[in-house]
Structure formats: structure tokens, C-alpha cells
Amino acid sequence: MTLWTDPPAPPSRAEEKKPVQHAAAPTDQTWQVCLPLPIAALDFAAPHGYAGAAPLGCRVVVPWRSGELKVGLVVGVGSGAGRHRLREAIAVLDAAPWVSPDTVRGLMDWAAAAHLPPGLLWDDLLGVGWELSHLHEVRAVAGADLAPYGEAVPGAEWSRADLFPPALLDAVREQGLLDERFSPLAVQVSRIEAAPLEQVPPAARSQVMVAAQDWQQADPALSCPPHWQAVEGAALTVKQQAAWDWLHAHGPQVSLKAWASGAGVGLEVVKKVVTAGGARETPLPVPPPPAWVWLRGHGSVTSPAAWAAAAGVRPAEVRRLMEGGAADYIFVPVTPPAAWDWLRGHGPTESLSAWAAGAGITASAASGLLAKGWAVQKTGPAPAPDLPAAAVWQGPPLDELIPLSADLLPEAEAWRLHGGRPAERFAALAPRLARLLSQGRGVLVLAPDHATLRRAWDGLSGLAELCGTRAALLSGQLSPRQREEVWRQLHAGEVRLVVGSALALTAPIAGLALVVVLEEGSDAYKLLSGSRAFVPDVAARVAQASGAALGLVGSVPAVESVPLPGRVLPPPRSRLHVVDYANPPQQPELGPLSSVHLTPGDLGYPLSHDLSRLLRQVQERGRQAALLAPRRGYSALLRCPHCEHTPQCPNCDVSLRFHQETRQLTCHQCGHKQPVPDRCDNCGEQMWKARGPGTEWIAAEVQKLLPGFPVLRLDKDRQDDLTPLQEGAAGVVVGTQLLLSQPCPPNLALIGVTLADTWLGVSDFRASERYHRLLRQLAEWHPSRAPLLVVQTFQGDHPALKVLETGRDALAYPAAEERVRAELFYPPHARLAQVEVAARDRDRAKTAAQAIADALHGAGATAPEVLGPAPAAVARVRGAYVYQLLLRARSDARLAQLLAVLDTRSWSARVRVDVNPRSN
């Protein structure tokens, strides 16, 4: 936060009023365009025929390598020199600035002051709009002959650009023979809808069955087959007469074979009877066979085979009946599947899996229903994505908020508000926000982490509706489409209150009047890669460039913000018990927890006797406790008890951390892992001693102390489900500072800091400030109660702890620290930049670092302005040796002069600058 006490000169009013696109531009206009790459802004010529001022803050399409096109952001106007050597930008994508021109100026100013390529910063902070989601069409310029470029070339009519090789288009483009246009494409989505029942194919909504038909309507050959009857008067032989007599006595027969068999004669005999005129065929009705009777009585069946099996007949008999028309196939309507009813009732789904999950069926079953026609897949414009809903405002009505008498915050360009609990701070902030929103102004609220963001959204978003506008949440937790929808609403003027992470810093908020930075001293604002920007610094630049006020709000002020005017709320009620391993205390007001006769070795570690007693009380009373461990894993290191050897990382100059669950040694710098060695590499000793308890160790100790009591862990390696605790169940959670990213368990009675000295033992002048902030945040973690805070430490007299113990307000310690820093020439009384020099060879890195120091001193830098070079706190990381120099200057201008020395020559090692460095 280097801008709060020594801001750069503000832009002139003429610059502030500069239009974005109005007057005609000179033909030799050039633009500076930033791409989301670690490079400086590039100069491009304005598109051919473009008329208007440079579209500052608008996105443009520019040619890149091998014919590739990229989306960039116009961040400035070029000098115009050498325009004939520049490639032309292809098209401007936005009618209105994608990012506010004031925001562009603020970010570019910060990048220049930080000595960084601005592309790094834009890649970190602009999370919307870098993808080319447009229909790209091309055609040849009228009258142009593109035959020399080949046969497959653009013609006189518009055609899709993806039909041609990018290198071909770039070659034609470079000669000025290509017209191009970009049309926005609506996002298309496929959705699964229930088909109307009448449109479901008949084969799907009915089932083929076998049913008995009217026996009288069957084929006569089946229902009334011909029978052989005896006829009198024929001249017959003796055998023939015997056959005739049998037929006459037994009645008609269905076949000659049956007649012959019954009469006991040969088939030839009965045939000669027929020839002699002694018998003739006569159709006679027959009763239905048993198979038909069974089918008639049981209704339809699914198949002929099922009929035959159920009726106990041969398949040939069933086949004969069906061929004779005694049975036939019919279509029977089926009951629509339950999954179809669910889809019809719950509306379209975005995928088959979503339908399957909602209807309680498998994905393959859903796919089968889709194939049969019970559902249809339709593609169409995607509806606007759902956004987080604003909370309901629980505070005073608007007419009580907007009067000036309700706003007790300073009227200044930069101010602060600290102390109290989050709800109290939001209540104090609400009148200022309500007044600005009611005036049609815009407000941006930045949060460093998800927990603070969630609290801010719950506490402030309801104000927007109260003031006639809307609030939007903008962070990396949203999907790309959700962020695009927020951007659309901002451009449409529907949203004037934005609560978000660092990504919200570039949001195009109309009429921005206030930028609120929550917990401005939080290390979570430091981007760990890319630009390494400290977001509050950038926010200060953006606020100044936009003419907006800067508000710093949090549990405790950063030391850099102490000189600002502000308001400090009374500290929340807290209960603190200190276990001082160096000097055991006695606090009668809390009961006989500590005993003065105990020596430091008798206090217990890593769980002191006091903390153990309190944990047992938590178990007995069914309450909740949270223990803060200084590190993840089982222990900070393993040490040989015989020779004190400690296993080291082969890539970094750090000890390997021991993880009990995986039985591995792990480097928390580069990720190297290896099994625990059986013996000491130095002396061969088989025993190891763990040092420096982590979350695994402490959780194991709690489990031994409280058998059967739920013990959960929360760290980078393991995130147990805390839902039971959040619902009020008894238990203990052991974790790192990740605990503070979670809502406080409702029945929390005890918070334990197992070894507070870890936060003080960091090579950073902000270590004690960070320690004090942690204690304040723990004290206010529960929204309404004051759990007992137990701090185990060897430095019980540290001022950062004492101010909390004595009930001082949130400003007390930062103000004292600010006076110390004034004497030592540290922020806010100095501007810092860390120069990091790294190389694979130690001597090379050391020599380059010393050369930089010599160059700085040769350019007039004084001894207080240049500290170092010296090896980094971790002298080797991932195989590279790191040396550091710390530059200290009275002003930003002087710091820029010192950093400019780095550009005077090349160095024999990798050099990286980190303005306002912070240890994490």
C-alpha cells in the first residue's frame, strides 16, 4: 500500500475528461495494446479506415505469430513513429470500453511503477474477455486478385475464416487485400426436453403383444376343417367294407390317416374306398384347441414363445394357430416411463447425466429413452446463467441511512475503519454506501479471501436493492459465463455495487465513487505468481485515477494505513489465556489453570496442561474446540538424536517435512517426496526424532487425550467434512490458518494457538503485525460469542499479544509499530522493492547480485537505500540459488529511479522485481 501517504500527481482535468471515441483520428494513429502475456504493451497501427480517438479500454483483435489472432486491450496511444513498419489491428470488438479508461490508466501507472510488463498484470486481474467468441468472416478486397496465393482463397463474398489456413489469411492480410468482420456469437447449449406424448414414435409408446382372435373368424381350414364322412351305396371289397363300417360307426374323421389308423387298415385301403365313392370330404366346425382357450383366458402375452411355454404346447402348435388367424399381434399402449414424467415436470436439463441424476436412473437408461424418442435434444441460445442472490438487508431503512448525520466516517480521499466485529463494521459502513448508491454512484468492495468475501456479500449486498440498484459478486469462484453475465449487467448499468476478489478490480462500474478494501493488510492480497501485485496498492491507483475515495476496512489496520484519518470501533469482548513456556503465568480470574510451581518443561507440549484440561472440559460438556497449528504435516523435520543430522531436500535448502499418514518426507517448496530413510545418512543411527508439531501430530495428540471424541483436520493435505461441526455437533478441529476461511462453528467454546512463536519467527519486518492481526481475527471469529483463546508461546510479553490481553483497541499496536518503522525507515515511511537474482550456479547468482548493487551505488544510491545482496531466506529453491537486494526509497519517484538502473544493462542471471514485497 505504497500510495496512501505519497500518491503520484493526479491526472489533469483535461485528461480525466478525454473522450474515448469521438473526434476523427489522424491517419498515422498507433495504439498500445496489452495481451495477457508477460510482455510489454505492443504498438499496432489503427485498423485501415478507422476514424475516431484511440478506443482506450476496448478490446481489439490483433495478428500474432503464424497467422494466429489474439484479443488485446487498448491501453494507450502510441507515438505514431514508424507506423509504416507496424502491423494493423484487425478490428475493434467493443462499442463501449470493456474496461473503464480510468481503470486502464490506474493499472498502467502501477505496472510502470512496479517495473513490470503490464501484460502480466492484465492477465492476473482481467478474468473476462480474452477469448475470441465471435464469428470471423473474410472476403477479398474488391478488385483484388488472390490467384497467386493458391486455389482455395477467399472470394468476393463473405465466408467463414476457419475454412482457410491461418497462415494464408495472414499473408493476404499483410498485403492489405483482405476484408474481415467479427460478429458476436450467442452461446449455444444443448438441452434435453421431454417429447410431447403424441410425438413419441408409436413403437416407443406402445408394446407388441400376442392376443387370441375370434375363433369363428379364423381361417376355415383351422376352425371348420374338412372331415371324411361315409357315403352309402358304393361297391366295396371285404377290407374296404370293414373300413367303411368303422367310419360309419365312428363318425367323420379329419384325415385319411386318422381314418386308416382308427379302422386298423392301411392307407391304400381307405383311399380305394374314397375312389369307389364310399366317402367324401365335408367341412365341419371344431372346438378351439386348449392353447387358444388358454390365451383367451389369460389375455395377451409378449411373444409366441411365451405363449407356448405358458400354455404347455409346442411352438409349432402356436405357429399353426397364428398362421390360421386364431391369434395375432396387437399394439398395446404402455405407461410412460417415470423418467419421462420427471423430465416433463422439472423442465429441460442441460445434459443426459443431469436428467439421469434427477430422475434416479442410469445414464445409459436415459440415453436409451432419448434414442426411443421419449426425449429430444435441442440446441439454442443459452439462457443467462444464474448468479449468486443478494442477501436480504437486515439493517435500518434507507431514510435512516442516507442522512449525513448517520455517516460517521471521514470525508477524505482515503480513510480507514477498523475494530469491532464484521457485522459492526458493515453497519458503520452502510450509511456511506447507501448514500452513494442512492445518488447513482458506483461502489467496489474487495475481499482478500473466500471467507471475507462471503461475509461481505452477506452483510452488504442487500443494500443495493434498498437503494434501487443491484449487487453483483465477482470472483474466480464464478464460471466464465457467469463472469461474462456480470460484465454485461455492469455495461447495461443494472449493477452499481460489486463485491469481489482481485478480479473485480477491473469491473466497468459506472460512476465509481468508492473503493473499499477489506482487511487491507492481509497477505492473501499478494498474488503469488505472475505480476506478484499487492492488490490494495493497485486498488489505490485505480481509485485515484477514477476520482474515487479509498476506504480501508478490517479487524485491525495495516501499519501503512495508520497515518490516514479514520474511525476505530471498540474491540469485541474477548477472553484470553496465555501459556508462557518461558515464564508460566497465573490468571486467577480464569481459575487455577496454570500453576506457578511448574517449570517450563512441566507445562506440556505440544498441548500444554492448561490446554489439555480445557479440551477435556470441551468433551465433558459436549462443546466445540478449534486448534490452530503452525504447519501442515506431522512435523517440521526429522532429526537424528545421535548426530543432529536432518534430511534435506535435494532441490532446495530446506529440511524435508515428515507426513505420518503417507510415511513420506516432503519438501513444501518444490514438492519433492521420498520415503523415510531406515538409517541416518550421516551416522547410521536407526532412530529419528520429530521436531516442530504439525496438524497430523497435534490431531493425534488430541485423539489420545480425548478417546472417542470427534477430531477433524483442515489443511492443504486433508480437508475433513466440517458439516457436523457447522450443525452444532461436538468435536475438535485441528488446522492451519485455513480454518479462518470457514464459518465459525456455532458452539465453539475454545480456540487454541499451539505455538504462536511460529508466526513471529519469520524473516519479515511485518511478522509481528501479521501475528497481531491473526490474534484479532481469532478473537472475532465467532460472530456473537467470545470463545476462550489460549495462546501457547515462549514470548508471552510480546506487545502484539499484550495489547489484546489488556483490552486495547485495534489501533494501539499498529500505531506503536508505525512509530518504530519511522525510526527504521520502513513503510509507510519508505517505498520498498525486492530485487531477486537467481541462477543455477551459486557464484553466478552472487556475482550478478553484487553487480546490481554496484550499479545502484554507482548511480547515486545511498547505503540506506540498498540493503544486500544477501542469500534469500531459502537460499536455493528448485535448484536455483537466490540472492536478494532490498531497495528503500522516500518516494515512488525515487524508487522508480533506482529500478531504472536495472534496465541499463543485461545481467548474467535471472532478475525479478517485487514492489512492496511480502513473505507468505
Side-chain angles (χ1 to χ4, degrees):
M1 292 159 287
T2 59
L3 307 181
W4 301 338
T5 57
D6 184 23
S12 66
R13 301 306 296 178
E15 288 177 329
E16 291 182 352
K17 299 297 184 180
K18 185 185 296 183
V20 175
Q21 283 188 336
H22 289 296
T27 56
D28 61 349
Q29 183 180 168
T30 61
W31 300 341
Q32 289 184 324
V33 177
C34 266
L35 302 176
L37 297 169
I39 57 177
L42 303 177
D43 282 348
F44 286 89
H48 181 73
Y50 181 86
L56 190 64
C58 289
R59 296 173 300 159
V60 293
V61 182
V62 296
W64 194 238
R65 299 168 182 167
S66 303
E68 180 187 359
L69 302 184
K70 280 195 172 292
V71 175
L73 191 75
V74 179
V75 296
V77 179
S79 64
R83 185 187 187 282
H84 62 283
R85 296 192 301 270
L86 299 177
R87 296 294 301 271
E88 288 184 352
I90 298 172
V92 179
L93 296 180
D94 305 312
W98 188 252
V99 178
S100 164
D102 291 332
T103 301
V104 171
R105 295 187 188 99
L107 264 66
M108 293 302 291
D109 287 346
W110 185 89
H115 205 68
L116 284 175
L120 272 177
L121 186 63
W122 285 108
D123 188 32
D124 284 338
L125 298 182
L126 181 58
V128 184
W130 293 117
E131 298 296 326
L132 185 58
S133 56
H134 290 65
L135 173 62
H136 181 198
E137 296 176 295
V138 295
R139 69 180 180 186
V141 170
D145 179 14
L146 302 186
Y149 294 95
E151 297 181 0
V153 295
E157 301 297 328
W158 290 107
S159 56
R160 294 177 62 98
D162 55 11
L163 299 177
F164 308 99
L168 168 69
L169 294 181
D170 197 52
V172 178
R173 180 186 300 120
E174 198 165 5
Q175 298 303 317
L177 302 177
L178 191 67
D179 282 340
E180 304 182 66
R181 69 181 182 186
F182 296 82
S183 307
L185 283 175
V187 178
Q188 301 289 311
V189 293
S190 295
R191 302 177 72 84
I192 308 297
E193 297 181 1
L197 188 59
E198 63 274 8
Q199 295 181 12
V200 177
R205 52 188 167 92
S206 58
Q207 185 176 6
V208 178
M209 306 286 285
V210 178
Q213 303 297 310
D214 187 355
W215 180 253
Q216 303 301 326
Q217 300 299 321
D219 188 346
L222 189 64
S223 62
C224 194
H227 286 66
W228 291 101
Q229 288 182 318
V231 179
E232 297 181 355
L236 304 172
T237 65
V238 175
K239 284 187 175 183
Q240 293 172 354
Q241 185 64 42
W244 186 92
D245 291 341
W246 186 92
L247 180 64
H248 185 268
H250 289 82
Q253 297 296 311
V254 296
S255 67
L256 293 177
K257 186 176 180 180
W259 175 14
S261 177
V265 299
L267 185 62
E268 291 299 324
V269 174
V270 298
K271 287 182 178 179
K272 288 180 179 180
V273 173
V274 173
T275 303
R280 67 170 180 269
E281 280 188 309
T282 302
L284 294 176
V286 296
W292 185 93
V293 174
W294 183 94
L295 184 62
R296 189 74 167 185
H298 289 79
S300 56
V301 293
T302 56
S303 66
W307 177 17
V313 299
R314 293 179 300 172
E317 171 67 5
V318 169
R319 185 165 56 251
R320 183 182 73 86
L321 292 175
M322 292 193 68
E323 290 174 352
D328 202 356
Y329 290 104
I330 62 172
F331 289 94
V332 177
V334 299
T335 302
W340 177 82
D341 286 330
W342 182 91
L343 186 61
R344 186 178 59 169
H346 291 78
T349 62
E350 295 185 357
S351 64
L352 277 173
S353 59
W355 177 22
I361 60 175
T362 64
S364 59
S367 180
L369 292 175
L370 178 65
K372 290 178 180 179
W374 286 102
V376 293
Q377 190 168 17
K378 294 183 178 181
T379 301
D386 294 331
L387 297 176
V392 177
W393 176 246
Q394 303 291 341
L398 183 62
D399 56 0
E400 295 182 14
L401 289 173
I402 56 176
L404 290 176
S405 58
D407 186 358
L408 303 180
L409 298 175
E411 295 287 348
E413 293 184 358
W415 46 266
R416 54 178 171 78
L417 169 64
H418 296 90
R421 295 185 181 273
E424 296 169 337
R425 294 193 290 270
F426 294 149
L429 183 62
R432 176 66 56 89
L433 267 60
R435 179 159 54 91
L436 294 174
L437 293 174
S438 299
Q439 295 170 354
R441 310 292 298 278
V443 175
L444 170 63
V445 180
L446 296 175
D449 51 57
H450 296 324
T452 308
L453 180 60
R454 181 177 59 249
R455 286 195 294 266
W457 180 253
D458 293 342
L460 297 174
S461 60
L463 270 173
E465 184 177 359
L466 192 70
C467 300
T469 183
R470 294 169 60 185
L473 182 69
L474 184 57
S475 74
Q477 291 180 302
L478 301 185
S479 68
R481 286 198 58 232
Q482 286 177 311
R483 294 198 293 268
E484 289 173 1
E485 174 61 16
V486 171
W487 228 256
R488 185 200 66 77
Q489 293 180 5
L490 285 166
H491 278 294
E494 301 172 12
V495 169
R496 292 202 304 273
L497 173 60
V498 175
V499 181
S501 65
L503 292 179
L505 198 53
T506 53
I509 305 173
L512 183 63
L514 175 62
V515 177
V516 177
V517 180
L518 300 177
E519 304 295 345
E520 76 277 8
S522 172
D523 292 324
Y525 277 123
K526 185 70 172 180
L527 304 183
L528 300 182
S529 60
S531 64
R532 293 189 180 180
F534 187 59
V535 174
D537 287 350
V538 187
R541 292 273 187 172
V542 170
Q544 185 183 52
S546 305
L550 179 69
L552 310 175
V553 180
S555 57
V556 60
V559 175
E560 290 90 335
S561 59
V562 168
L564 297 177
R567 181 183 175 194
V568 179
L569 302 177
R573 186 177 70 90
S574 61
R575 298 187 298 147
L576 177 66
H577 175 68
V578 178
V579 177
D580 191 346
Y581 286 111
N583 184 24
Q586 184 177 14
Q587 294 179 319
E589 68 276 9
L590 293 175
L593 291 175
S594 300
S595 302
V596 295
H597 68 277
L598 294 176
T599 65
D602 295 327
L603 289 180
Y605 187 75
L607 301 180
S608 66
H609 298 318
D610 288 355
L611 185 55
S612 297
R613 291 170 190 158
L614 291 167
L615 286 170
R616 290 192 189 97
Q617 292 180 14
V618 167
Q619 181 184 33
E620 292 167 1
R621 299 174 184 179
R623 304 294 291 278
Q624 299 172 329
L627 301 183
L628 187 66
R631 60 184 63 85
R632 60 189 171 100
Y634 188 81
S635 65
L637 52 88
L638 290 181
R639 178 171 292 164
C640 174
H642 184 261
C643 68
E644 300 294 315
H645 171 71
T646 298
Q648 299 286 309
C649 174
N651 306 315
C652 311
D653 281 349
V654 292
S655 301
L656 292 172
R657 301 283 179 90
F658 175 49
H659 289 250
Q660 176 73 24
E661 289 185 349
T662 60
R663 298 295 299 173
Q664 284 188 324
L665 298 176
T666 302
C667 176
H668 288 183
Q669 292 288 334
C670 69
H672 170 80
K673 295 181 180 180
Q674 68 183 50
V676 178
D678 295 332
R679 295 176 178 272
C680 173
D681 296 335
N682 192 39
C683 70
E685 173 68 41
Q686 288 184 299
M687 295 293 293
W688 292 103
K689 283 189 176 181
R691 291 289 184 269
T695 51
E696 289 184 44
W697 186 341
I698 295 170
E701 291 292 324
V702 176
Q703 287 171 336
K704 287 190 295 184
L705 179 70
L706 310 176
F709 200 57
V711 179
L712 307 176
R713 263 180 57 201
L714 187 70
D715 54 37
K716 186 177 179 180
D717 298 328
R718 176 172 157 183
Q719 295 91 39
D720 289 337
D721 183 11
L722 302 186
T723 302
L725 289 185
Q726 301 297 348
E727 293 176 350
V732 178
V733 57
V734 180
T736 59
Q737 278 185 253
L738 192 61
L739 279 174
L740 290 174
S741 68
Q742 303 295 315
C744 181
N747 295 326
L748 188 69
L750 173 66
I751 302 174
V753 182
T754 56
L755 186 59
D757 304 81
T758 306
W759 281 269
L760 293 172
V762 180
S763 58
D764 183 5
F765 68 92
R766 293 191 178 93
S768 59
E769 176 191 2
R770 190 178 294 115
Y771 172 52
H772 177 246
R773 182 179 303 108
L774 172 65
L775 296 176
R776 293 283 186 183
Q777 290 174 342
L778 290 172
E780 69 170 33
W781 190 22
H782 197 287
S784 58
R785 295 168 48 189
L788 178 61
L789 176 60
V790 177
V791 179
Q792 299 182 163
T793 179
F794 285 91
Q795 303 180 56
D797 293 330
H798 196 284
L801 180 60
K802 279 296 182 182
V803 293
L804 197 68
E805 189 176 12
T806 56
R808 303 284 299 280
D809 63 30
L811 185 61
Y813 181 76
E817 184 73 6
E818 187 266 341
R819 292 190 292 270
V820 173
R821 292 190 191 178
E823 297 177 5
L824 299 177
F825 192 35
Y826 276 95
H829 304 283
R831 305 292 178 263
L832 298 186
Q834 182 175 279
V835 181
E836 181 182 281
V837 184
R840 292 285 176 179
D841 180 75
R842 185 198 304 269
D843 292 337
R844 184 176 180 182
K846 183 177 181 180
T847 301
Q850 187 59 54
I852 292 175
D854 294 341
L856 288 166
H857 289 299
T862 63
E865 289 180 324
V866 181
L867 301 181
V874 180
R876 184 168 58 104
V877 178
R878 294 181 176 87
Y881 293 91
V882 182
Y883 280 77
Q884 295 175 342
L885 298 95
L886 188 64
L887 307 186
R888 301 188 298 180
R890 289 289 182 187
S891 65
D892 291 322
R894 178 54 179 164
L895 185 61
Q897 292 175 354
L898 295 176
L899 292 176
V901 175
L902 301 180
D903 296 330
T904 57
R905 50 167 287 193
S906 60
W907 310 98
S908 59
R910 187 194 71 192
V911 178
R912 187 166 188 174
V913 175
D914 185 6
V915 174
N916 197 4
R918 305 179 78 89
S919 298
N920 289 296

